[in-house]
Amino acid sequence: MRNGSGEALNAQRRFSRASKLDADPGLVAPEAFVRGIRHIGYRSNVEAIAELVDNSIQAYAQRVDLVSGFAEAGQPTRPVQLAIIDDGHGMKPKMLRFAMMWGGTHRENDRSGLGRFGYGLPCATVSMGRRFTIYSKVKGGKVHAVCLDLDLLDAGTYTDEEAGLTIPSAQPATLPVFVSEAIARLHPDGWRSGTVVVIDKLDRLHWATAGGLRRNLIRQFGVAYHKLLGATAIHIDGEPVRPIDPLFLSPGCALNSLDEDRANPLEPITLRIGLEDGAAGEIVLRYAWLPPTFGAADKSRDAIGLNANARFPILKKYHGIVFSRNGRVVDVQSRTPWTTFINNDRYIRVEVEFSASLDEAFGVTTSKQQVSVSQEVWEQLQAAGLPKAIEHLRAKVRAAKAERQRSMVTGAAATTAGADRGGDQLDRPASPQPTAGGASEGQPSTADGRLGGVDPRTALDVLLSRIERRRSSGNVAIANEYDRLMRGWAKELSRISGPKRGSSRK
């Protein structure tokens, strides 16, 4: 143990004597900081690229494009470069150096837009590749660029005479060929201003092909930016991102009218809250419940496997309370202080939209991909009726599932009986048939005695409702067992209502 301590102290002495560190060091060790920031913890490339899209939206871009670049002799499906191109107001050359810095933003603590820390661009780019270049021009100006290459950083290229890390000045530049060709296609009337971020030396792509990245970006950006796509169009390798409301309520959004099923809204609630730390802001609560067939292609069967329609991935991924900040979805959580969303809750939809003035109360992370809601905010949401609204939505879905189950069973029995009985039999009174216990229809069976004189159809409704409640409140194994029970019951009804033995067929 003592030997280990001695070695640790020796390592400390060697580090403190390193020539790259000043006698009066700054707040961070620059090279180690840049290498470490690559592991900031984005869930995937989608969240990283979203940081760059946020910047473009805040620069008043009307169009943002992600364009893939491929090696001439390489695989035609695997990109070696990514470019995010916008037509926003652009940046002047002096600002380009600050844009490359961590914290280098003129929007520090700005609560009106999507970003306020100045970490998004450098963090997002180095999380995917070892080199990034920012190209930009303002209206009437020329393209300038600045580049950061982590390999050159490790080699000491960016150090000044005092061994400090410095960012090179922006220089006039020519856009890469794949970018200039894309701009010619995307902006045939001319690219007057905007910014292009090119990432290459890609070593941390989560999808092996451009197609895989494109599919995931289109789906997740469709949800994340569904309230903002009206002002800023987003395209991924030429394919437009269509808005997808995770509550399936907003008119004109993709998947809302996929088939005849529709989301059923509750009245939204707007809160104006003030917190103990002096922060104040607005919260909007939106609610919806969905028919139990909403995620199914064939409405007579459950949304399982190949029968899941295009809505089902949204139901599955955005399962719980969706948190949206200044119009941009940032997180979804399935646990609250009062309840946990289980699989059967996929058909209830809840969104909490809040203004950026409440960032601290919602614990918004620097990368804008997670919230950590304070106890004070949970209490405000509880006072606004959020727990009661969730239970109300659950009751609506349970009732709809029970009604669907009754319709399926009744429909199966009626269809089979109608098909197997001849037309002349429909007008005849049915002859008493022995029951499973030997009693005829004119005599009370053991089951009839349990009904206490209640009409059997009413009793059946109550029983089915109880079964559905038990199914919904149980685990997956219990739910599957009840599903098998109901399917077996339907088959048994079909069998006993079929042709009787000894009947002749004509």
Side-chain angles (χ1 to χ4, degrees):
M1 187 72 174
R2 291 181 179 177
N3 290 338
S5 298
E7 178 56 34
L9 293 173
N10 287 333
Q12 290 178 15
R13 280 192 288 270
R14 289 193 297 271
F15 179 78
S16 63
R17 292 170 182 168
S19 60
K20 289 185 179 181
L21 293 180
D22 297 328
D24 183 17
L27 189 61
V28 298
E31 293 89 345
F33 171 80
V34 175
R35 287 192 294 269
I37 208 71
R38 300 193 78 200
H39 303 276
I40 193 172
Y42 289 110
R43 294 190 186 113
S44 73
N45 303 144
V46 172
E47 285 75 20
I49 294 170
E51 298 263 45
L52 306 178
V53 173
D54 287 350
N55 289 342
S56 296
I57 291 174
Q58 202 147 359
Y60 303 101
Q62 295 182 346
R63 177 173 178 137
V64 182
D65 284 88
L66 181 136
V67 177
S68 300
F70 302 92
E72 291 184 5
Q75 298 180 19
T77 59
R78 188 177 183 88
V80 295
Q81 295 172 294
L82 295 177
I84 291 82
I85 305 169
D86 72 47
D87 60 355
H89 52 54
M91 289 181 279
K92 293 185 177 182
K94 288 185 178 180
M95 186 63 202
L96 282 175
R97 296 184 73 190
F98 291 103
M100 187 162 280
M101 293 172 56
W102 278 264
T105 179
H106 64 289
R107 295 191 287 258
E108 173 64 28
N109 206 33
D110 178 8
R111 305 296 178 116
S112 63
L114 300 180
R116 63 186 183 90
F117 295 109
Y119 275 54
L121 192 155
C123 283
T125 49
V126 300
S127 75
M128 292 181 282
R130 295 190 58 80
R131 181 170 62 195
F132 72 97
T133 309
I134 309 173
Y135 300 85
S136 194
K137 74 169 183 176
V138 297
K139 188 175 181 180
K142 295 182 178 181
V143 175
H144 284 70
V146 63
C147 178
L148 178 65
D149 188 317
L150 299 190
D151 294 328
L152 297 180
L153 175 71
D154 291 341
T157 301
Y158 297 107
T159 54
D160 57 21
E161 295 179 356
E162 298 179 352
L165 182 65
T166 183
I167 297 173
S169 300
Q171 300 295 326
T174 300
L175 293 169
V177 173
F178 84 104
V179 172
S180 59
E181 290 177 349
I183 287 178
R185 293 193 309 270
L186 304 173
H187 301 277
D189 296 331
W191 187 60
R192 295 172 178 81
S193 64
T195 298
V196 179
V197 179
V198 175
I199 312 164
D200 53 8
K201 294 188 177 181
L202 298 171
D203 62 347
R204 293 191 174 183
L205 288 185
H206 294 127
W207 288 276
T209 65
L213 178 61
R214 180 176 64 253
R215 286 190 296 273
N216 283 275
L217 283 170
I218 285 175
R219 183 170 62 202
Q220 294 189 49
F221 278 9
V223 175
Y225 297 104
H226 75 272
K227 298 178 183 178
L228 305 173
L229 286 168
T232 304
I234 302 174
H235 292 73
I236 312 299
D237 281 331
E239 187 171 343
V241 174
R242 296 186 61 200
I244 302 172
D245 180 1
L247 272 65
F248 301 96
L249 290 175
S250 302
C253 283
L255 305 181
N256 283 25
S257 55
L258 181 68
D259 51 42
E260 67 276 11
D261 282 341
R262 295 290 184 276
N264 300 281
L266 299 188
E267 190 69 25
I269 296 176
T270 301
L271 310 174
R272 181 74 186 175
I273 68 171
L275 303 176
E276 291 180 357
D277 62 1
E282 190 172 270
I283 297 176
V284 179
L285 305 177
R286 289 200 306 151
Y287 305 105
W289 65 272
L290 310 175
T293 55
F294 199 78
D298 179 354
K299 303 302 181 182
S300 66
R301 298 186 291 119
D302 291 337
I304 299 174
L306 295 177
N307 195 47
N309 64 22
R311 291 165 170 160
F312 191 78
I314 307 301
L315 300 180
K316 186 176 180 180
K317 183 173 180 62
Y318 299 91
H319 172 51
I321 298 179
V322 176
F323 289 90
S324 182
R325 171 187 178 270
N326 279 11
R328 202 265 236 187
V329 172
V330 294
D331 197 10
V332 58
Q333 295 191 1
S334 60
R335 293 180 181 272
T336 76
W338 335 284
T339 190
T340 298
F341 287 74
I342 60 175
N343 283 347
N344 285 329
D345 291 328
R346 285 174 180 161
Y347 296 94
I348 72 172
R349 317 301 289 171
V350 181
E351 181 192 61
V352 175
E353 165 80 37
F354 62 95
S355 56
S357 60
L358 300 173
D359 275 357
E360 287 77 12
F362 278 90
V364 178
T365 60
T366 304
S367 59
K368 302 189 293 295
Q369 58 178 344
Q370 186 178 355
V371 298
S372 180
V373 185
S374 69
Q375 182 61 35
E376 186 178 5
V377 169
W378 282 127
E379 290 172 358
Q380 296 260 13
L381 295 175
Q382 184 175 16
L386 180 56
K388 292 181 179 179
I390 292 172
E391 290 307 313
H392 181 65
L393 292 170
R394 283 174 171 157
K396 289 285 190 181
V397 173
R398 283 197 299 268
K401 285 185 175 181
E403 178 60 33
R404 178 186 179 231
Q405 203 76 286
R406 283 194 295 271
S407 298
M408 290 174 64
V409 172
T410 304
T415 300
T416 304
D420 291 336
R421 283 200 300 267
D424 61 330
Q425 292 178 306
L426 296 178
D427 296 325
R428 297 178 184 174
S431 301
Q433 296 294 329
T435 64
S440 68
E441 288 186 359
Q443 300 170 335
S445 67
T446 303
D448 291 336
R450 296 195 191 106
L451 302 182
V454 177
D455 181 77
R457 288 172 296 185
T458 302
L460 177 62
D461 287 346
V462 173
L463 175 61
L464 288 172
S465 296
R466 288 179 63 85
I467 289 175
E468 179 58 29
R469 285 197 298 273
R470 181 72 178 95
R471 176 187 180 278
S472 300
S473 62
N475 57 30
V476 174
I478 291 175
N480 290 338
E481 181 60 31
Y482 275 111
D483 286 341
R484 285 193 292 270
L485 172 64
M486 299 306 290
R487 288 194 295 269
W489 183 25
K491 289 180 180 178
E492 182 66 14
L493 290 175
S494 298
R495 185 185 66 79
I496 64 177
S497 61
K500 307 300 183 289
R501 290 183 180 179
S503 64
S504 59
R505 295 178 182 267
K506 295 182 180 180

